[in-house]
Amino acid sequence: MSSVDPSHPVITAFMAEASKALGRPLPAPKDVFAFGGGAKNPVLSTELLHKAIRGEKKATTSWPIPSPLYWSIGDLSVILDGEGKPGAVMKTTEFRECKFRDVEKQFGLDEAEGSYDDYRRGHFWFYGLEEQREAARKMGVEEQFGEDSWVLCERFEVIYPVWTPNSEGGDSELRAMKKEKEDGEKVDV
């Protein structure tokens, strides 16, 4: 399940803000999460969030695969920053289940974590952390992450905030967003 209840007041307010900015009502998110471990690795989580907002990160890998899967193609999720604050709304565009050894090179590159080898090393490291193994055990998965582990390869697009490069090098909007978030509420993850 989500790391945060999608009906949490902070999430509901963020979705209302996104709906207003996009000029259309948005359904409630099916998932709320942070990339890269959230509060346990706040710098990485925020960096990956920013890459997703800029359109550099377009994919994510999940292990173990939740059963039953509680979101599907077309559903929305809220991505948290490393401090637990809502940072973006993403829409799932594609799913593929496969063994980790069979993850396509382009998918690994679309995770925006460096080379394909960097992607693979990073996932072995992350899913080998004790807290990730404990989370897997809580989902009924006893084996350790490895080449034969089934993973969910998910492609997505960020629909809010809408990021546009500008004449100041493209990151000033992210800096402004980060400043606004410093004053915002956070969600405990």
Side-chain angles (χ1 to χ4, degrees):
M1 294 298 291
S2 291
S3 61
V4 173
D5 181 352
S7 65
H8 188 286
V10 172
I11 301 303
T12 303
F14 185 73
M15 290 301 291
E17 174 187 313
S19 292
K20 183 178 178 184
L22 295 172
R24 60 186 163 101
L26 296 175
K30 296 285 183 158
D31 197 16
V32 179
F33 71 97
F35 294 123
K40 296 195 184 325
N41 199 340
V43 173
L44 176 62
S45 293
T46 300
E47 176 186 329
L48 292 173
L49 165 66
H50 288 186
K51 285 182 175 188
I53 292 169
R54 290 192 303 260
E56 297 166 15
K57 180 172 178 60
K58 303 174 273 213
T60 190
T61 304
S62 297
W63 176 83
I65 300 171
S67 181
L69 197 59
Y70 54 92
W71 75 104
S72 61
I73 294 171
D75 285 338
L76 303 180
S77 299
V78 171
I79 308 169
L80 305 174
D81 68 12
E83 308 254 322
K85 298 174 189 172
V89 178
M90 68 176 235
K91 178 178 168 183
T92 299
T93 60
E94 180 184 316
F95 282 137
R96 178 174 179 252
E97 291 184 23
C98 65
K99 290 186 177 183
F100 188 65
R101 76 170 71 254
D102 298 327
V103 172
E104 296 172 356
K105 183 176 182 178
Q106 188 57 55
F107 183 88
L109 295 173
D110 286 346
E111 282 228 21
E113 297 175 9
S115 70
Y116 182 67
D117 287 338
D118 292 336
Y119 159 79
R120 290 180 51 74
R121 275 191 300 275
H123 282 74
F124 272 108
W125 168 80
F126 182 72
Y127 290 129
L129 295 174
E130 181 55 37
E131 60 263 21
Q132 295 304 315
R133 293 197 332 255
E134 180 60 29
R137 284 190 287 275
K138 287 180 182 177
M139 293 175 68
V141 176
E142 293 298 326
E143 76 266 7
Q144 291 199 0
F145 181 76
E147 292 287 354
D148 290 325
S149 297
W150 282 89
V151 295
L152 180 66
C153 296
E154 178 179 3
R155 291 187 181 280
F156 62 86
E157 66 177 319
V158 170
I159 63 166
Y160 177 81
V162 176
W163 182 80
T164 53
N166 62 34
S167 60
E168 295 179 25
D171 281 331
S172 65
E173 288 183 27
L174 284 175
R175 285 191 297 273
M177 184 181 84
K178 185 178 178 187
K179 175 65 177 132
E180 287 175 18
K181 292 196 160 309
E182 289 172 359
D183 301 326
E185 292 186 61
K186 75 175 188 175
V187 180
D188 292 324
V189 290

Short mmCIF file of all heavy atoms in Angstrom, two decimals, residues 54-119:
data_model
loop_
_atom_site.label_atom_id
_atom_site.label_comp_id
_atom_site.label_asym_id
_atom_site.label_seq_id
_atom_site.Cartn_x
_atom_site.Cartn_y
_atom_site.Cartn_z
N ARG A 54 11.39 17.49 -14.26
CA ARG A 54 12.04 17.99 -15.48
C ARG A 54 11.84 17.06 -16.68
O ARG A 54 12.26 17.38 -17.79
CB ARG A 54 13.53 18.20 -15.24
CG ARG A 54 13.85 19.36 -14.31
CD ARG A 54 15.33 19.72 -14.31
NE ARG A 54 16.19 18.62 -13.95
CZ ARG A 54 16.73 18.43 -12.73
NH1 ARG A 54 16.47 19.27 -11.76
NH2 ARG A 54 17.52 17.40 -12.51
N GLY A 55 11.25 15.89 -16.46
CA GLY A 55 11.03 14.94 -17.54
C GLY A 55 12.21 14.04 -17.83
O GLY A 55 12.20 13.29 -18.80
N GLU A 56 13.25 14.08 -17.00
CA GLU A 56 14.42 13.22 -17.18
C GLU A 56 14.14 11.81 -16.67
O GLU A 56 14.61 10.84 -17.26
CB GLU A 56 15.62 13.81 -16.43
CG GLU A 56 16.04 15.17 -16.96
CD GLU A 56 16.99 15.89 -16.01
OE1 GLU A 56 17.56 15.24 -15.10
OE2 GLU A 56 17.15 17.11 -16.17
N LYS A 57 13.43 11.71 -15.56
CA LYS A 57 13.06 10.41 -14.98
C LYS A 57 11.63 10.11 -15.42
O LYS A 57 10.71 10.86 -15.09
CB LYS A 57 13.15 10.45 -13.45
CG LYS A 57 12.78 9.12 -12.80
CD LYS A 57 13.07 9.16 -11.31
CE LYS A 57 12.68 7.87 -10.61
NZ LYS A 57 13.38 6.68 -11.10
N LYS A 58 11.47 9.03 -16.16
CA LYS A 58 10.17 8.67 -16.73
C LYS A 58 9.77 7.25 -16.36
O LYS A 58 8.81 6.72 -16.92
CB LYS A 58 10.21 8.79 -18.26
CG LYS A 58 10.62 10.17 -18.75
CD LYS A 58 10.79 10.17 -20.25
CE LYS A 58 12.20 9.75 -20.56
NZ LYS A 58 12.84 10.31 -21.70
N ALA A 59 10.51 6.63 -15.46
CA ALA A 59 10.27 5.23 -15.13
C ALA A 59 10.69 4.94 -13.70
O ALA A 59 11.53 5.65 -13.14
CB ALA A 59 11.05 4.34 -16.11
N THR A 60 10.08 3.90 -13.13
CA THR A 60 10.46 3.46 -11.80
C THR A 60 10.24 1.95 -11.68
O THR A 60 9.37 1.40 -12.36
CB THR A 60 9.69 4.23 -10.70
OG1 THR A 60 10.24 3.95 -9.43
CG2 THR A 60 8.20 3.92 -10.72
N THR A 61 11.03 1.32 -10.85
CA THR A 61 10.97 -0.13 -10.66
C THR A 61 10.49 -0.42 -9.24
O THR A 61 10.99 0.19 -8.29
CB THR A 61 12.37 -0.75 -10.84
OG1 THR A 61 12.87 -0.39 -12.13
CG2 THR A 61 12.34 -2.26 -10.70
N SER A 62 9.53 -1.33 -9.11
CA SER A 62 9.02 -1.71 -7.80
C SER A 62 9.31 -3.19 -7.53
O SER A 62 9.14 -4.03 -8.41
CB SER A 62 7.50 -1.50 -7.73
OG SER A 62 7.17 -0.15 -7.89
N TRP A 63 9.75 -3.47 -6.31
CA TRP A 63 9.92 -4.83 -5.82
C TRP A 63 9.70 -4.83 -4.32
O TRP A 63 10.17 -3.90 -3.65
CB TRP A 63 11.34 -5.35 -6.11
CG TRP A 63 11.56 -6.72 -5.53
CD1 TRP A 63 11.21 -7.91 -6.09
CD2 TRP A 63 12.14 -7.03 -4.27
NE1 TRP A 63 11.54 -8.95 -5.26
CE2 TRP A 63 12.12 -8.43 -4.12
CE3 TRP A 63 12.66 -6.29 -3.22
CZ2 TRP A 63 12.59 -9.09 -2.99
CZ3 TRP A 63 13.15 -6.92 -2.09
CH2 TRP A 63 13.12 -8.32 -1.98
N PRO A 64 9.01 -5.80 -3.78
CA PRO A 64 8.22 -6.78 -4.50
C PRO A 64 6.99 -6.13 -5.13
O PRO A 64 6.59 -5.03 -4.75
CB PRO A 64 7.83 -7.80 -3.42
CG PRO A 64 7.91 -7.05 -2.13
CD PRO A 64 8.94 -5.97 -2.32
N ILE A 65 6.40 -6.81 -6.07
CA ILE A 65 5.22 -6.30 -6.75
C ILE A 65 4.03 -6.46 -5.80
O ILE A 65 3.77 -7.58 -5.33
CB ILE A 65 4.96 -7.04 -8.07
CG1 ILE A 65 6.15 -6.89 -9.02
CG2 ILE A 65 3.67 -6.55 -8.73
CD1 ILE A 65 6.09 -7.75 -10.26
N PRO A 66 3.33 -5.36 -5.48
CA PRO A 66 2.17 -5.49 -4.60
C PRO A 66 1.12 -6.43 -5.21
O PRO A 66 0.91 -6.43 -6.42
CB PRO A 66 1.61 -4.06 -4.52
CG PRO A 66 2.73 -3.18 -4.94
CD PRO A 66 3.55 -3.98 -5.91
N SER A 67 0.50 -7.23 -4.35
CA SER A 67 -0.55 -8.12 -4.81
C SER A 67 -1.69 -8.06 -3.80
O SER A 67 -1.48 -8.38 -2.64
CB SER A 67 -0.02 -9.54 -4.94
OG SER A 67 -1.04 -10.40 -5.40
N PRO A 68 -2.85 -7.61 -4.21
CA PRO A 68 -3.17 -7.17 -5.57
C PRO A 68 -2.57 -5.79 -5.85
O PRO A 68 -2.33 -5.01 -4.92
CB PRO A 68 -4.70 -7.12 -5.58
CG PRO A 68 -5.06 -6.79 -4.17
CD PRO A 68 -4.02 -7.48 -3.31
N LEU A 69 -2.37 -5.52 -7.11
CA LEU A 69 -1.86 -4.22 -7.54
C LEU A 69 -3.00 -3.22 -7.36
O LEU A 69 -4.10 -3.44 -7.85
CB LEU A 69 -1.43 -4.30 -9.00
CG LEU A 69 -0.52 -3.20 -9.52
CD1 LEU A 69 0.77 -3.13 -8.72
CD2 LEU A 69 -0.19 -3.45 -10.99
N TYR A 70 -2.77 -2.16 -6.63
CA TYR A 70 -3.85 -1.23 -6.28
C TYR A 70 -3.90 0.02 -7.15
O TYR A 70 -4.66 0.93 -6.88
CB TYR A 70 -3.78 -0.86 -4.80
CG TYR A 70 -2.45 -0.31 -4.35
CD1 TYR A 70 -2.18 1.05 -4.36
CD2 TYR A 70 -1.45 -1.17 -3.92
CE1 TYR A 70 -0.96 1.54 -3.96
CE2 TYR A 70 -0.22 -0.69 -3.51
CZ TYR A 70 0.01 0.67 -3.53
OH TYR A 70 1.22 1.16 -3.13
N TRP A 71 -3.11 0.08 -8.20
CA TRP A 71 -3.21 1.17 -9.16
C TRP A 71 -3.00 0.58 -10.54
O TRP A 71 -2.50 -0.53 -10.68
CB TRP A 71 -2.24 2.30 -8.86
CG TRP A 71 -0.80 2.05 -9.17
CD1 TRP A 71 -0.11 2.55 -10.23
CD2 TRP A 71 0.15 1.27 -8.44
NE1 TRP A 71 1.20 2.13 -10.22
CE2 TRP A 71 1.39 1.34 -9.11
CE3 TRP A 71 0.08 0.51 -7.29
CZ2 TRP A 71 2.52 0.69 -8.67
CZ3 TRP A 71 1.23 -0.15 -6.85
CH2 TRP A 71 2.42 -0.04 -7.53
N SER A 72 -3.42 1.32 -11.58
CA SER A 72 -3.30 0.80 -12.93
C SER A 72 -2.97 1.92 -13.91
O SER A 72 -2.82 3.09 -13.51
CB SER A 72 -4.59 0.08 -13.34
OG SER A 72 -5.67 0.97 -13.32
N ILE A 73 -2.86 1.56 -15.17
CA ILE A 73 -2.55 2.55 -16.21
C ILE A 73 -3.62 3.63 -16.20
O ILE A 73 -4.81 3.34 -16.13
CB ILE A 73 -2.44 1.86 -17.58
CG1 ILE A 73 -1.23 0.92 -17.56
CG2 ILE A 73 -2.34 2.88 -18.70
CD1 ILE A 73 -1.12 0.02 -18.76
N GLY A 74 -3.17 4.88 -16.22
CA GLY A 74 -4.07 6.03 -16.18
C GLY A 74 -4.29 6.59 -14.79
O GLY A 74 -4.77 7.71 -14.64
N ASP A 75 -3.96 5.83 -13.75
CA ASP A 75 -4.15 6.31 -12.38
C ASP A 75 -3.08 7.33 -12.01
O ASP A 75 -1.98 7.34 -12.57
CB ASP A 75 -4.12 5.15 -11.39
CG ASP A 75 -5.39 4.33 -11.41
OD1 ASP A 75 -6.43 4.85 -11.85
OD2 ASP A 75 -5.34 3.16 -10.98
N LEU A 76 -3.41 8.15 -11.03
CA LEU A 76 -2.50 9.19 -10.55
C LEU A 76 -1.86 8.77 -9.23
O LEU A 76 -2.45 8.04 -8.44
CB LEU A 76 -3.25 10.50 -10.34
CG LEU A 76 -3.99 11.07 -11.56
CD1 LEU A 76 -4.68 12.38 -11.19
CD2 LEU A 76 -3.06 11.26 -12.73
N SER A 77 -0.64 9.26 -9.02
CA SER A 77 0.08 9.07 -7.76
C SER A 77 0.72 10.40 -7.39
O SER A 77 1.03 11.21 -8.26
CB SER A 77 1.19 8.02 -7.91
OG SER A 77 0.66 6.77 -8.27
N VAL A 78 0.93 10.61 -6.09
CA VAL A 78 1.64 11.79 -5.61
C VAL A 78 3.05 11.36 -5.23
O VAL A 78 3.23 10.37 -4.50
CB VAL A 78 0.93 12.45 -4.41
CG1 VAL A 78 1.79 13.54 -3.79
CG2 VAL A 78 -0.42 13.02 -4.84
N ILE A 79 4.03 12.09 -5.74
CA ILE A 79 5.43 11.83 -5.40
C ILE A 79 5.84 12.82 -4.32
O ILE A 79 5.68 14.04 -4.47
CB ILE A 79 6.35 12.02 -6.62
CG1 ILE A 79 5.85 11.22 -7.82
CG2 ILE A 79 7.79 11.62 -6.26
CD1 ILE A 79 6.56 11.58 -9.12
N LEU A 80 6.36 12.30 -3.22
CA LEU A 80 6.84 13.13 -2.11
C LEU A 80 8.31 13.46 -2.30
O LEU A 80 9.05 12.70 -2.92
CB LEU A 80 6.67 12.40 -0.78
CG LEU A 80 5.26 11.90 -0.45
CD1 LEU A 80 5.30 11.06 0.82
CD2 LEU A 80 4.29 13.05 -0.32
N ASP A 81 8.73 14.58 -1.72
CA ASP A 81 10.17 14.87 -1.70
C ASP A 81 10.79 14.14 -0.50
O ASP A 81 10.10 13.41 0.22
CB ASP A 81 10.43 16.38 -1.68
CG ASP A 81 10.00 17.08 -0.39
OD1 ASP A 81 9.69 16.41 0.63
OD2 ASP A 81 9.97 18.32 -0.40
N GLY A 82 12.07 14.34 -0.29
CA GLY A 82 12.78 13.65 0.77
C GLY A 82 12.37 14.07 2.17
O GLY A 82 12.71 13.40 3.14
N GLU A 83 11.62 15.16 2.27
CA GLU A 83 11.14 15.63 3.58
C GLU A 83 9.71 15.18 3.83
O GLU A 83 9.13 15.53 4.85
CB GLU A 83 11.21 17.15 3.61
CG GLU A 83 12.55 17.70 3.23
CD GLU A 83 13.30 18.22 4.41
OE1 GLU A 83 12.68 18.81 5.30
OE2 GLU A 83 14.52 18.02 4.45
N GLY A 84 9.12 14.46 2.87
CA GLY A 84 7.74 14.00 3.03
C GLY A 84 6.70 14.99 2.55
O GLY A 84 5.52 14.82 2.83
N LYS A 85 7.11 16.01 1.80
CA LYS A 85 6.16 17.00 1.29
C LYS A 85 5.76 16.62 -0.14
O LYS A 85 6.59 16.19 -0.92
CB LYS A 85 6.80 18.39 1.27
CG LYS A 85 7.19 18.90 2.64
CD LYS A 85 7.94 20.20 2.53
CE LYS A 85 8.53 20.61 3.87
NZ LYS A 85 9.42 21.77 3.74
N PRO A 86 4.47 16.80 -0.48
CA PRO A 86 4.05 16.50 -1.84
C PRO A 86 4.80 17.37 -2.84
O PRO A 86 4.94 18.58 -2.64
CB PRO A 86 2.56 16.84 -1.86
CG PRO A 86 2.15 16.97 -0.44
CD PRO A 86 3.38 17.30 0.35
N GLY A 87 5.31 16.75 -3.92
CA GLY A 87 6.10 17.49 -4.88
C GLY A 87 5.60 17.42 -6.30
O GLY A 87 5.85 18.32 -7.09
N ALA A 88 4.88 16.35 -6.65
CA ALA A 88 4.42 16.21 -8.04
C ALA A 88 3.27 15.20 -8.10
O ALA A 88 3.11 14.36 -7.21
CB ALA A 88 5.57 15.75 -8.93
N VAL A 89 2.50 15.32 -9.18
CA VAL A 89 1.47 14.34 -9.50
C VAL A 89 1.92 13.64 -10.78
O VAL A 89 2.26 14.30 -11.76
CB VAL A 89 0.09 15.00 -9.73
CG1 VAL A 89 -0.95 13.95 -10.11
CG2 VAL A 89 -0.35 15.78 -8.49
N MET A 90 1.95 12.32 -10.73
CA MET A 90 2.32 11.55 -11.92
C MET A 90 1.15 10.69 -12.36
O MET A 90 0.31 10.30 -11.55
CB MET A 90 3.55 10.69 -11.67
CG MET A 90 3.36 9.55 -10.71
SD MET A 90 4.85 8.52 -10.55
CE MET A 90 4.16 6.92 -10.97
N LYS A 91 1.15 10.39 -13.66
CA LYS A 91 0.13 9.51 -14.25
C LYS A 91 0.85 8.28 -14.81
O LYS A 91 1.79 8.41 -15.59
CB LYS A 91 -0.59 10.26 -15.37
CG LYS A 91 -1.62 9.44 -16.09
CD LYS A 91 -2.28 10.33 -17.14
CE LYS A 91 -3.11 9.53 -18.10
NZ LYS A 91 -3.68 10.40 -19.14
N THR A 92 0.43 7.10 -14.40
CA THR A 92 1.02 5.86 -14.88
C THR A 92 0.61 5.66 -16.34
O THR A 92 -0.56 5.76 -16.68
CB THR A 92 0.55 4.66 -14.04
OG1 THR A 92 0.99 4.88 -12.69
CG2 THR A 92 1.10 3.35 -14.55
N THR A 93 1.61 5.38 -17.20
CA THR A 93 1.33 5.21 -18.62
C THR A 93 1.58 3.78 -19.12
O THR A 93 1.09 3.41 -20.18
CB THR A 93 2.18 6.18 -19.47
OG1 THR A 93 3.56 5.93 -19.22
CG2 THR A 93 1.84 7.63 -19.14
N GLU A 94 2.34 2.99 -18.35
CA GLU A 94 2.67 1.63 -18.81
C GLU A 94 3.17 0.79 -17.65
O GLU A 94 3.85 1.31 -16.75
CB GLU A 94 3.76 1.74 -19.88
CG GLU A 94 4.23 0.46 -20.48
CD GLU A 94 5.38 0.69 -21.46
OE1 GLU A 94 5.32 1.63 -22.26
OE2 GLU A 94 6.36 -0.08 -21.39
N PHE A 95 2.86 -0.49 -17.68
CA PHE A 95 3.38 -1.48 -16.73
C PHE A 95 3.99 -2.63 -17.50
O PHE A 95 3.49 -3.01 -18.56
CB PHE A 95 2.26 -2.12 -15.90
CG PHE A 95 1.73 -1.31 -14.77
CD1 PHE A 95 0.36 -1.26 -14.55
CD2 PHE A 95 2.55 -0.65 -13.89
CE1 PHE A 95 -0.16 -0.55 -13.50
CE2 PHE A 95 2.04 0.07 -12.83
CZ PHE A 95 0.67 0.11 -12.64
N ARG A 96 5.01 -3.23 -16.92
CA ARG A 96 5.56 -4.49 -17.44
C ARG A 96 6.16 -5.23 -16.27
O ARG A 96 6.97 -4.68 -15.52
CB ARG A 96 6.65 -4.21 -18.49
CG ARG A 96 7.28 -5.50 -19.02
CD ARG A 96 8.25 -5.22 -20.16
NE ARG A 96 8.83 -6.47 -20.60
CZ ARG A 96 10.09 -6.83 -20.37
NH1 ARG A 96 10.91 -6.02 -19.73
NH2 ARG A 96 10.55 -7.98 -20.81
N GLU A 97 5.75 -6.48 -16.10
CA GLU A 97 6.33 -7.34 -15.07
C GLU A 97 7.37 -8.22 -15.75
O GLU A 97 7.11 -8.79 -16.82
CB GLU A 97 5.26 -8.20 -14.41
CG GLU A 97 4.30 -7.41 -13.57
CD GLU A 97 3.30 -8.29 -12.83
OE1 GLU A 97 3.58 -9.49 -12.60
OE2 GLU A 97 2.23 -7.77 -12.49
N CYS A 98 8.53 -8.32 -15.13
CA CYS A 98 9.58 -9.20 -15.67
C CYS A 98 10.57 -9.51 -14.56
O CYS A 98 10.55 -8.89 -13.50
CB CYS A 98 10.29 -8.53 -16.85
SG CYS A 98 11.22 -7.04 -16.44
N LYS A 99 11.45 -10.48 -14.83
CA LYS A 99 12.54 -10.73 -13.89
C LYS A 99 13.53 -9.57 -14.02
O LYS A 99 13.68 -8.99 -15.09
CB LYS A 99 13.22 -12.06 -14.21
CG LYS A 99 12.34 -13.25 -13.89
CD LYS A 99 13.08 -14.54 -14.08
CE LYS A 99 12.17 -15.69 -13.67
NZ LYS A 99 12.87 -16.97 -13.77
N PHE A 100 14.21 -9.27 -12.93
CA PHE A 100 15.13 -8.14 -12.94
C PHE A 100 16.18 -8.29 -14.04
O PHE A 100 16.54 -7.31 -14.69
CB PHE A 100 15.79 -7.96 -11.57
CG PHE A 100 16.60 -6.70 -11.47
CD1 PHE A 100 16.00 -5.45 -11.54
CD2 PHE A 100 17.97 -6.76 -11.32
CE1 PHE A 100 16.74 -4.28 -11.46
CE2 PHE A 100 18.72 -5.59 -11.24
CZ PHE A 100 18.10 -4.35 -11.31
N ARG A 101 16.63 -9.49 -14.29
CA ARG A 101 17.63 -9.73 -15.34
C ARG A 101 17.12 -9.32 -16.72
O ARG A 101 17.90 -9.10 -17.62
CB ARG A 101 18.08 -11.19 -15.35
CG ARG A 101 17.09 -12.16 -15.95
CD ARG A 101 17.61 -13.57 -16.18
NE ARG A 101 17.81 -14.31 -14.94
CZ ARG A 101 19.01 -14.57 -14.40
NH1 ARG A 101 20.10 -14.19 -14.99
NH2 ARG A 101 19.09 -15.23 -13.27
N ASP A 102 15.78 -9.25 -16.89
CA ASP A 102 15.19 -8.98 -18.19
C ASP A 102 14.74 -7.53 -18.38
O ASP A 102 14.11 -7.21 -19.39
CB ASP A 102 14.01 -9.92 -18.44
CG ASP A 102 14.44 -11.38 -18.47
OD1 ASP A 102 15.58 -11.65 -18.94
OD2 ASP A 102 13.66 -12.24 -18.03
N VAL A 103 15.05 -6.67 -17.41
CA VAL A 103 14.69 -5.25 -17.56
C VAL A 103 15.45 -4.69 -18.77
O VAL A 103 16.67 -4.85 -18.87
CB VAL A 103 15.01 -4.44 -16.29
CG1 VAL A 103 14.81 -2.95 -16.53
CG2 VAL A 103 14.16 -4.92 -15.12
N GLU A 104 14.72 -4.09 -19.68
CA GLU A 104 15.33 -3.56 -20.90
C GLU A 104 16.26 -2.38 -20.59
O GLU A 104 16.00 -1.60 -19.68
CB GLU A 104 14.23 -3.11 -21.87
CG GLU A 104 13.38 -4.26 -22.35
CD GLU A 104 12.16 -3.81 -23.15
OE1 GLU A 104 11.93 -2.59 -23.28
OE2 GLU A 104 11.45 -4.70 -23.65
N LYS A 105 17.31 -2.28 -21.38
CA LYS A 105 18.30 -1.23 -21.18
C LYS A 105 17.66 0.16 -21.21
O LYS A 105 17.94 0.99 -20.34
CB LYS A 105 19.40 -1.32 -22.24
CG LYS A 105 20.48 -0.29 -22.04
CD LYS A 105 21.61 -0.47 -23.03
CE LYS A 105 22.70 0.57 -22.75
NZ LYS A 105 23.84 0.41 -23.66
N GLN A 106 16.78 0.43 -22.18
CA GLN A 106 16.17 1.76 -22.28
C GLN A 106 15.34 2.08 -21.04
O GLN A 106 15.34 3.21 -20.57
CB GLN A 106 15.30 1.89 -23.54
CG GLN A 106 14.81 3.32 -23.77
CD GLN A 106 15.95 4.33 -23.87
OE1 GLN A 106 16.85 4.18 -24.68
NE2 GLN A 106 15.92 5.37 -23.04
N PHE A 107 14.67 1.07 -20.49
CA PHE A 107 13.90 1.30 -19.26
C PHE A 107 14.85 1.73 -18.14
O PHE A 107 14.57 2.70 -17.43
CB PHE A 107 13.12 0.05 -18.85
CG PHE A 107 12.28 0.30 -17.64
CD1 PHE A 107 10.99 0.78 -17.77
CD2 PHE A 107 12.78 0.08 -16.37
CE1 PHE A 107 10.22 1.06 -16.65
CE2 PHE A 107 12.03 0.36 -15.24
CZ PHE A 107 10.74 0.84 -15.38
N GLY A 108 15.95 1.01 -17.97
CA GLY A 108 16.93 1.37 -16.94
C GLY A 108 17.44 2.80 -17.12
O GLY A 108 17.58 3.55 -16.16
N LEU A 109 17.70 3.18 -18.36
CA LEU A 109 18.17 4.55 -18.63
C LEU A 109 17.07 5.57 -18.33
O LEU A 109 17.36 6.68 -17.85
CB LEU A 109 18.63 4.67 -20.08
CG LEU A 109 19.86 3.83 -20.45
CD1 LEU A 109 20.13 3.90 -21.95
CD2 LEU A 109 21.08 4.27 -19.65
N ASP A 110 15.81 5.22 -18.58
CA ASP A 110 14.70 6.14 -18.32
C ASP A 110 14.46 6.37 -16.84
O ASP A 110 13.74 7.28 -16.46
CB ASP A 110 13.42 5.64 -18.99
CG ASP A 110 13.44 5.83 -20.50
OD1 ASP A 110 14.31 6.56 -21.01
OD2 ASP A 110 12.58 5.23 -21.18
N GLU A 111 15.09 5.57 -15.99
CA GLU A 111 15.01 5.82 -14.55
C GLU A 111 15.90 7.01 -14.15
O GLU A 111 15.79 7.51 -13.03
CB GLU A 111 15.40 4.58 -13.75
CG GLU A 111 14.29 3.57 -13.70
CD GLU A 111 14.01 3.05 -12.31
OE1 GLU A 111 14.38 3.70 -11.31
OE2 GLU A 111 13.42 1.96 -12.23
N ALA A 112 16.76 7.45 -15.05
CA ALA A 112 17.61 8.64 -14.84
C ALA A 112 18.52 8.51 -13.63
O ALA A 112 18.70 9.45 -12.87
CB ALA A 112 16.75 9.90 -14.76
N GLU A 113 19.14 7.35 -13.50
CA GLU A 113 20.07 7.12 -12.39
C GLU A 113 21.48 6.88 -12.90
O GLU A 113 22.30 6.30 -12.20
CB GLU A 113 19.57 5.95 -11.54
CG GLU A 113 18.23 6.24 -10.89
CD GLU A 113 17.65 5.06 -10.15
OE1 GLU A 113 18.34 4.03 -9.97
OE2 GLU A 113 16.48 5.17 -9.74
N GLY A 114 21.75 7.31 -14.13
CA GLY A 114 23.07 7.12 -14.72
C GLY A 114 22.99 6.08 -15.83
O GLY A 114 21.97 5.95 -16.52
N SER A 115 24.05 5.31 -15.96
CA SER A 115 24.11 4.27 -17.00
C SER A 115 23.20 3.10 -16.61
O SER A 115 22.71 3.01 -15.48
CB SER A 115 25.54 3.78 -17.17
OG SER A 115 25.93 3.02 -16.02
N TYR A 116 23.03 2.16 -17.54
CA TYR A 116 22.26 0.95 -17.25
C TYR A 116 22.92 0.17 -16.10
O TYR A 116 22.23 -0.34 -15.22
CB TYR A 116 22.15 0.10 -18.51
CG TYR A 116 21.33 -1.16 -18.33
CD1 TYR A 116 19.97 -1.10 -18.08
CD2 TYR A 116 21.94 -2.41 -18.42
CE1 TYR A 116 19.22 -2.26 -17.92
CE2 TYR A 116 21.19 -3.57 -18.26
CZ TYR A 116 19.83 -3.49 -18.00
OH TYR A 116 19.09 -4.63 -17.85
N ASP A 117 24.25 0.11 -16.10
CA ASP A 117 24.94 -0.57 -15.00
C ASP A 117 24.72 0.16 -13.67
O ASP A 117 24.57 -0.49 -12.63
CB ASP A 117 26.44 -0.69 -15.29
CG ASP A 117 26.73 -1.73 -16.37
OD1 ASP A 117 25.89 -2.62 -16.60
OD2 ASP A 117 27.81 -1.64 -16.99
N ASP A 118 24.69 1.50 -13.70
CA ASP A 118 24.39 2.27 -12.49
C ASP A 118 22.99 1.93 -11.98
O ASP A 118 22.78 1.77 -10.77
CB ASP A 118 24.46 3.78 -12.75
CG ASP A 118 25.87 4.27 -13.04
OD1 ASP A 118 26.85 3.61 -12.62
OD2 ASP A 118 25.99 5.32 -13.70
N TYR A 119 22.03 1.86 -12.90
CA TYR A 119 20.65 1.49 -12.55
C TYR A 119 20.63 0.12 -11.84
O TYR A 119 20.03 -0.04 -10.78
CB TYR A 119 19.79 1.45 -13.83
CG TYR A 119 18.54 0.63 -13.71
CD1 TYR A 119 17.41 1.12 -13.06
CD2 TYR A 119 18.48 -0.66 -14.23
CE1 TYR A 119 16.25 0.35 -12.95
CE2 TYR A 119 17.34 -1.43 -14.13
CZ TYR A 119 16.23 -0.93 -13.48
OH TYR A 119 15.10 -1.70 -13.36
#
